[in-house]
Amino acid sequence: MTVFQGVHAVLFDLDGTLIDSASDLGASADGMRVRRGMASLPLEQYRPHAGSGARGMLHVAFGIAPEHEDYPALKEEFFGAYEARMTLRTAPFDGVGDLLARLVNGGLRWGVVTNKSQRFTEPLSKAMALFDTASVVISGDTTPHAKPHPEPLLEAARRLRLLPSQCIYVGDDERDIRAGKAAGMPTVAARYGYLGWGADVTTWGADAEVSSPLQLLKLLELP
C-alpha cells in the first residue's frame, strides 16, 4: 500500500470527489430537454458525464459539442438552470465529512481545486457547512488556466505557503491526475467518483487509488 510522507495539505477536486452533484447537474440539462418537448432521460445517462460540467450534460441532453453553433446559447441556459437549483440534491459523498474532520484533527489542511467557475463554487461553499474548515478554494477561473494545466494546483500551494510536493491531489478524472503530476504533487484517483464513460483508471498514472473517501486516511497513516 502506498503511504505518503511529508504531507501538509490535501487538495481535492470538487464534483465527483468531494460532492455528488450529478442529480442537480443532470436535472438542469434534462429540464432543458423537457421544455423543448423532448423525452426525459434517466439520471444514469447523465451521471458518468457529470465531471465534465456543461459540456458533458449538454452532450447527453442534446448530442452536441462545444463546436456546435448552438452550444454557447445552450451553455448559458444550462448555467442559469443549474444556478437556480445547484444545492437541491447535491451532498457530500458518504464519508467525506468524517474524512475532512479527521484530516483537520490530524493537523493537515485541506482545500479544493476545481474547474467549476467561481460563479458556482462561491455560493456552493457558502451554502454547505462542509467547506467551513477549507483553507483554500481554487475555481476554474481563479487563474488563466484550468486543469489539466498545473497552474490552479500551483496557485493553491502558493496560497497555502507550501511546496507542491507537500500537498497531495485527489480527483476522479484523468485531467486531475495529469494536473497533479504536472504540478509535482502526489496524486490519488477517486474510483468512487464519476470517472467518465469507459474510463480505465489504471492508465492514469496516479500514485494511489481509493474506492471510498475514508480509504485516504490509510494512505496518510491517520487514525
Side-chain angles (χ1 to χ4, degrees):
M1 183 184 70
T2 300
V3 174
F4 297 111
Q5 303 289 342
V7 175
H8 292 258
V10 181
L11 299 173
F12 298 90
D13 176 46
L14 185 58
D15 301 84
T17 302
L18 283 184
I19 62 172
D20 187 356
S21 52
S23 293
D24 285 325
L25 288 164
S28 300
D30 205 57
M32 293 169 62
R33 279 181 58 91
V34 173
R35 287 193 293 274
R36 287 166 169 79
M38 302 169 71
S40 177
L41 298 175
L43 173 62
E44 289 72 21
Q45 291 192 33
Y46 291 101
R47 187 174 185 83
H49 302 275
S52 298
R55 177 169 53 87
M57 296 299 93
L58 294 176
H59 172 74
V60 175
F62 300 106
I64 68 170
E67 297 76 23
H68 194 284
E69 62 180 359
D70 294 334
Y71 183 85
L74 288 172
K75 182 177 73 170
E76 283 307 311
E77 182 181 343
F78 171 79
F79 282 163
Y82 176 60
E83 199 166 30
R85 62 159 302 134
M86 61 181 169
T87 58
L88 289 184
R89 299 180 187 173
T90 293
F93 282 100
D94 289 343
V96 163
D98 192 13
L99 166 64
L100 299 180
R102 289 159 77 174
L103 290 179
V104 173
N105 289 339
L108 297 181
R109 287 181 286 170
W110 71 275
V112 170
V113 181
T114 175
N115 277 357
K116 207 182 196 82
S117 70
Q118 187 176 357
R119 172 180 176 180
F120 306 112
T121 56
E122 186 170 346
L124 264 176
S125 61
K126 289 180 178 178
M128 300 180 72
L130 183 77
F131 295 93
D132 289 349
T133 58
S135 294
V136 65
V137 176
I138 302 296
S139 304
D141 48 1
T142 300
T143 74
H145 304 281
K147 299 174 296 182
H149 197 284
E151 183 57 27
L153 287 169
L154 295 174
E155 177 63 17
R158 285 192 291 266
R159 295 191 183 190
L160 292 170
R161 297 186 179 181
L162 295 173
L163 297 173
S165 59
Q166 294 175 308
C167 310
I168 65 172
Y169 188 50
V170 186
D172 70 312
D173 191 282
E174 185 176 8
R175 292 171 297 176
D176 299 325
I177 306 307
R178 288 168 56 195
K181 292 167 72 70
M185 291 184 187
T187 56
V188 179
R191 298 188 66 98
Y192 59 85
Y194 303 139
L195 302 183
W197 187 261
D200 183 359
V201 178
T202 62
T203 66
W204 294 359
D207 296 293
E209 302 172 10
V210 291
S211 297
S212 70
L214 288 173
Q215 284 186 359
L216 186 64
L217 296 172
K218 295 182 179 179
L219 304 181
L220 297 167
E221 294 190 316
L222 289 177

